[in-house]
Every structure is written in C-alpha cells, then in structure tokens.
Amino acid sequence: MGCEASTFKNFKSGYEKMNKRYAQTVLTYENCYKISLHLKELTEELEHYFVDHKAMNLTEIAKEYKKMQGSFEHEFIISKQDTDFHSTYDTLIKKLPLLEKGLEDPILMQSEVENLLAILRENVDREKPNLYALSYFLADHKMIELSEMSADAKNRFIGQKFYDEVVKPIQSVINRSVRENASLGELYHKTIQVLSEMIGEWKWLE
C-alpha cells in the first residue's frame, strides 16, 4: 500500500499487544459486570424490606454479600479504591444480621442501603469502556493507574491513547497511499471499517 515500514510495523506491534490481552480483558470485565448487576438487583430487593416492609432473611442476604465480596471489583465498574462503596458494603455485611435481631436502627440501615444502591446504579448503568483500548492500555500499564480519574476521564484516556498510538498513524498512511493510488480505495474502506469497529463511536476523538 506504500505504507512507511516503520508505521506499519508499529501498527502491527500495537495490534498484537491489544489482541493478546483482548479475550481476557473481555472475560474479566463481563464477569465483574455480571456479578455487579446481580448485586444491584439484590440490593434493590433489599430496599423493599424498608420501603414495603417485605419479609426477608437479612442474615442470608448478608451471607450472599459476603460471598460476592471482592469478585465484582473492576476499575470501570466498582473500583477497589471506592472507599465509600466498600465501607457501606462492609457495614451491611456486619449489621444486617443485627438488624434482623432488632439490634440496629432500621432508619440508619435503610440509609446505608440507599447509599449503596445509588452507587451501584451509577456505576453499573454507565457506558461500557472500549475493551480494545483497555486491552492495549493493560499491555504496559496497571489498572490502578486509572483509579484517581473520573469514569469519563478513564474512557477518554485509554481511548485517546489507543487512537493516538495505534489507529491515527495507520489512518494517515492509508489516506496518503490512497491519494497516490486510487485503486487502493476498496482496500482503504475495508481497513477503515475494521479500525472504526475497534475505535467505537468516540465523538471526542480528533
């Protein structure tokens, strides 16, 4: 295609870095999301105990919370660094059985449940990260490096990194090659289609 060898080589290297980790990145995210969704649904059910006075075994709910503890943590869903969430979660595990015995204030416990549910809804319902970009990022970085960023900032950061380092250079070379040789147009469109699927609909990309 008339591509500069170095650009093509860099693209191949970047793609291989991403592709090597993609399957595991998807599996990890989807497993954490599935458990987080179940946790949200369980907490929504628990809310009915307070709002509708629905009969429930609070000790069993606390056991289920305990069983899920640590299995849903993901920087793009519920972060390990989210101290508000984990503090509330730990409180429910400890105090739901006490509430069942009449040893805790139901109003305070309802507030804890509502706080946990608000965090879960915000995090579980947010837009899914681009897992191609995340796979590329994780080739050379640790997830904890994103922990201080907001959810939107994390997505922008990994997306822009992937675009700038992998996608944009090869797009530029392909564009130039097509201008020099119009017969490459069909190949160009197929390549751009593949790249577009990897990028997703990131309107903030240059």
Side-chain angles (χ1 to χ4, degrees):
M1 293 196 313
C3 296
E4 290 89 339
S6 60
T7 302
F8 210 38
K9 182 178 179 181
N10 288 340
F11 173 75
K12 182 174 181 291
S13 174
Y15 179 84
E16 288 174 348
K17 284 167 61 174
M18 177 278 297
N19 195 50
K20 184 177 180 181
R21 291 160 181 81
Y22 182 70
Q24 184 59 48
T25 300
V26 171
L27 181 63
T28 300
Y29 177 84
E30 290 184 348
N31 284 343
C32 291
Y33 180 82
K34 182 178 179 180
I35 297 169
S36 298
L37 182 60
H38 174 61
L39 176 58
K40 186 188 82 164
E41 292 168 349
L42 179 63
T43 307
E44 287 173 338
E45 280 293 308
L46 180 57
E47 187 181 36
H48 289 298
Y49 173 86
F50 299 97
V51 176
D52 303 323
H53 307 291
K54 182 178 178 180
M56 287 186 180
N57 188 324
L58 300 182
T59 299
E60 287 303 313
I61 292 176
K63 287 179 180 178
E64 190 162 359
Y65 276 161
K66 180 68 175 177
K67 184 170 64 176
M68 289 188 285
Q69 194 169 32
S71 63
F72 50 78
E73 293 168 343
H74 192 285
E75 200 56 52
F76 285 83
I77 308 173
I78 302 294
S79 173
K80 290 182 180 181
Q81 313 307 316
D82 189 336
T83 55
D84 289 340
F85 176 88
H86 291 290
S87 174
T88 304
Y89 193 79
D90 292 343
T91 296
L92 291 178
I93 291 174
K94 178 181 178 181
K95 294 188 175 182
L96 281 176
L98 298 178
L99 176 62
E100 195 165 47
K101 297 175 182 178
L103 300 176
E104 283 294 335
D105 184 338
I107 295 177
L108 292 178
M109 292 302 296
Q110 180 177 355
S111 177
E112 296 282 6
V113 170
E114 289 172 348
N115 289 340
L116 189 75
L117 189 53
I119 297 172
L120 282 166
R121 284 172 172 161
E122 178 183 358
N123 287 274
V124 172
D125 296 342
R126 74 162 47 110
E127 185 179 358
K128 177 181 177 180
N130 185 293
L131 298 177
Y132 290 112
L134 182 57
S135 301
Y136 179 75
F137 174 81
L138 292 175
D140 300 311
H141 299 274
K142 300 294 184 183
M143 194 79 88
I144 196 171
E145 295 175 42
L146 303 171
S147 62
E148 298 300 317
M149 300 182 188
S150 68
D152 288 342
K154 291 172 190 176
N155 275 321
R156 285 195 300 271
F157 181 79
I158 64 168
Q160 195 69 59
K161 178 179 175 65
F162 183 58
Y163 179 72
D164 288 344
E165 297 180 11
V166 179
V167 176
K168 189 175 181 179
I170 198 68
Q171 280 184 326
S172 298
V173 169
I174 292 171
N175 279 328
R176 186 163 56 251
S177 299
V178 170
R179 285 196 299 269
E180 294 170 357
N181 186 347
S183 66
L184 294 172
E186 183 178 352
L187 178 59
Y188 163 80
H189 288 298
K190 288 181 179 179
T191 305
I192 292 301
Q193 183 178 5
V194 172
L195 294 176
S196 297
E197 290 172 359
M198 293 169 66
I199 296 169
E201 302 208 0
W202 292 334
K203 297 177 182 176
W204 44 265
L205 287 176
E206 297 175 1

